[in-house]
Amino acid sequence: MSLSRSDLEAGNEQTRLLEASHSGIKLTTLSEDELQRSLQETLQQQPANSDIWIFAYGSLIWNPLIAYIERRPGIIYGWHRRFCTWMILGRGTPENPGLLLGLDRGGSCRGVIYRIAAADVPKELLLIWQREMIAGVYLARWVRVFDGTEEFKAIAFVANRQHPRYADRIPLTTTVNSIATASGKLGSCADYLMRTVDGLMAEGIKDKKLLLLRKQVLAKQQALLVSSGS
């Protein structure tokens, strides 16, 4: 199962988080007013009534859920893709949290940019904010994206290093074990990794670290199957 556009339009993502908070899982969520304020503050940095580019590096590549008028590959510098946020609901649990991709400081990252038409910006960006910003694990940042010939200014969602669920300097073995075993209401963390790798490959992007991580996660899962069968 994956998040759907109808989930976002119906407010199901926010409801799911709020229900989790009331059931004893400690989650903080932004209110509708806070989401709108965050969105407006971000848009103030661009001319009014203009098209907006969004930089995608994870699930937004294989499950964008937004209306866009152009899509192209691009690279940003100063940020890299990393499993750096604990996920205790969608693809994990408090007892066995999964990990979520974010943009962390340093390096570079290849991904995809989407151009949203000016007329669609209010609705489409609010959906993205409800998806990416509601839990506070990301910060919206304007980044420069290069496609080989042109430079674009786009919104990217980077890891919030001040958030309690930010995973700083965790051992590789912890990352592999978490992704190999964690699962939640939206499916398994391993499926999230596999879909991201496949989505990147479909764009001609070979992320060597994620390809190695996929190999390690599959090996871990195989070892667990052998162990449970013995």
Side-chain angles (χ1 to χ4, degrees):
M1 176 182 178
S2 296
L3 194 66
S4 70
R5 184 180 174 95
S6 60
D7 287 332
L8 297 176
E9 291 176 330
N12 292 340
E13 177 72 356
Q14 185 172 27
T15 299
R16 182 170 59 85
L17 292 171
L18 290 174
E19 287 177 346
S21 297
H22 290 309
S23 65
I25 300 175
K26 292 184 178 180
L27 290 173
T28 57
T29 61
L30 298 184
S31 67
E32 193 70 24
D33 287 343
E34 288 172 323
L35 282 175
Q36 285 281 6
R37 185 163 57 250
S38 168
L39 175 53
Q40 293 308 314
E41 288 173 352
T42 302
L43 290 178
Q44 284 174 5
Q45 301 177 48
Q46 278 288 91
N49 301 315
S50 61
D51 294 353
I52 297 294
W53 290 92
I54 298 291
F55 179 75
Y57 55 89
S59 63
L60 279 172
I61 292 178
W62 50 267
N63 190 30
L65 305 182
I66 55 172
Y68 57 89
I69 56 176
E70 187 177 355
R71 169 186 174 126
R72 62 173 72 189
I75 184 170
I76 63 173
Y77 297 94
W79 302 94
H80 67 283
R81 182 174 24 239
R82 185 170 83 85
F83 279 94
C84 57
T85 299
W86 291 112
M87 200 177 197
I88 61 174
L89 193 60
R91 294 183 184 271
T93 63
E95 297 75 24
N96 186 25
L99 281 165
L100 186 66
L101 281 170
L103 288 176
D104 215 350
R105 297 172 188 166
S108 63
C109 180
R110 298 185 66 86
V112 170
I113 50 174
Y114 300 100
R115 181 161 64 96
I116 301 174
D120 296 329
V121 163
K123 180 178 181 180
E124 299 305 315
L125 257 63
L126 181 57
L127 288 179
I128 295 176
W129 248 247
Q130 289 169 335
R131 171 181 179 166
E132 304 293 339
M133 296 290 284
I134 191 170
V137 298
Y138 294 125
L139 300 172
R141 291 285 185 268
W142 287 99
V143 296
R144 292 188 301 163
V145 187
F146 305 87
D147 74 344
T149 58
E150 296 182 71
E151 177 183 326
F152 304 86
K153 193 175 181 182
I155 297 172
F157 299 98
V158 308
N160 180 358
R161 286 184 158 217
Q162 304 306 312
H163 197 278
R165 288 197 278 134
Y166 173 69
D168 186 16
R169 299 180 182 178
I170 56 175
L172 177 59
T173 52
T174 300
T175 299
V176 171
N177 185 69
S178 174
I179 296 174
T181 62
S183 184
K185 290 187 176 181
L186 292 180
S188 71
C189 201
D191 179 66
Y192 173 79
L193 167 63
M194 305 307 167
R195 289 188 181 215
T196 300
V197 170
D198 290 344
L200 290 169
M201 294 288 283
E203 298 292 335
I205 301 170
K206 294 182 179 180
D207 186 314
K208 293 181 180 179
K209 289 184 177 180
L210 283 196
L211 287 169
L212 177 58
L213 183 59
R214 179 178 67 173
K215 182 178 180 180
Q216 293 168 316
V217 165
L218 290 172
K220 177 68 175 181
Q221 290 180 322
Q222 183 61 34
L224 290 171
L225 280 175
V226 172
S227 176
S228 64
S230 59

